Amino acid sequence: QVRVVESGGGLVQAGGSLRLSCAASGGIFDINAMNWYRQAPGKERELVASITSSGSLNYAESVKGRFLIFRDIAKNTVYLQMNSLKPDDTAVYYCYVDGRRSDLGRFTSWGQGTQVTVSS
């Protein structure tokens, strides 16, 4: 069973930086895309950034120029470097991965989430 684990959240002052990590493991053949979502209290979950197997990147307008998504293919790990953080970035950040298992069946998997809190 594919497992996705995030880490790196915490409390930071506005203007500061954090780096989130997301590692996928457990019988993975290959990964199609790795994505970061976030959900703030009272709001819907939204896509923050994604990276595909071909290296295509996608960012939410609200984080363009401040956040950077990159990956370590060998480790099935994706990172989210968050700079110039704002209080509006406060949310639980989730990693979402889709790909193929070792039996070539498709999988999709969410991590448990990591809290990011930005103080003003």
Side-chain angles (χ1 to χ4, degrees):
Q1 183 175 355
V2 177
R3 186 166 177 245
V4 174
V5 179
E6 305 102 332
S7 61
L11 173 65
V12 64
Q13 288 188 333
S17 298
L18 280 176
R19 179 178 292 184
L20 306 183
S21 300
C22 166
S25 61
I28 296 173
F29 179 75
D30 60 16
I31 290 177
N32 178 51
M34 303 185 83
N35 311 271
W36 286 101
Y37 284 77
R38 67 185 181 188
Q39 188 166 19
K43 295 187 177 180
E44 293 187 354
R45 192 171 296 190
E46 62 173 353
L47 178 65
V48 177
S50 62
I51 183 167
T52 69
S53 58
S54 63
S56 295
L57 307 177
N58 183 45
Y59 293 95
E61 285 295 327
S62 60
V63 306
K64 281 183 179 178
R66 299 188 297 122
F67 289 12
L68 176 67
I69 187 170
F70 58 100
R71 63 186 177 176
D72 184 330
I73 296 175
K75 295 182 179 179
N76 287 334
T77 298
V78 66
Y79 304 91
L80 186 67
Q81 177 67 40
M82 306 185 293
N83 302 318
S84 302
L85 283 161
K86 304 175 181 179
D88 284 348
D89 294 318
T90 295
V92 178
Y93 284 70
Y94 297 91
C95 183
Y96 175 73
V97 181
D98 77 270
R100 291 186 293 178
R101 301 184 306 266
S102 54
D103 63 1
L104 301 186
R106 293 296 302 273
F107 77 87
T108 60
S109 187
W110 288 93
Q112 81 287 352
T114 185
Q115 176 71 47
V116 172
T117 302
V118 184
S119 63
S120 57

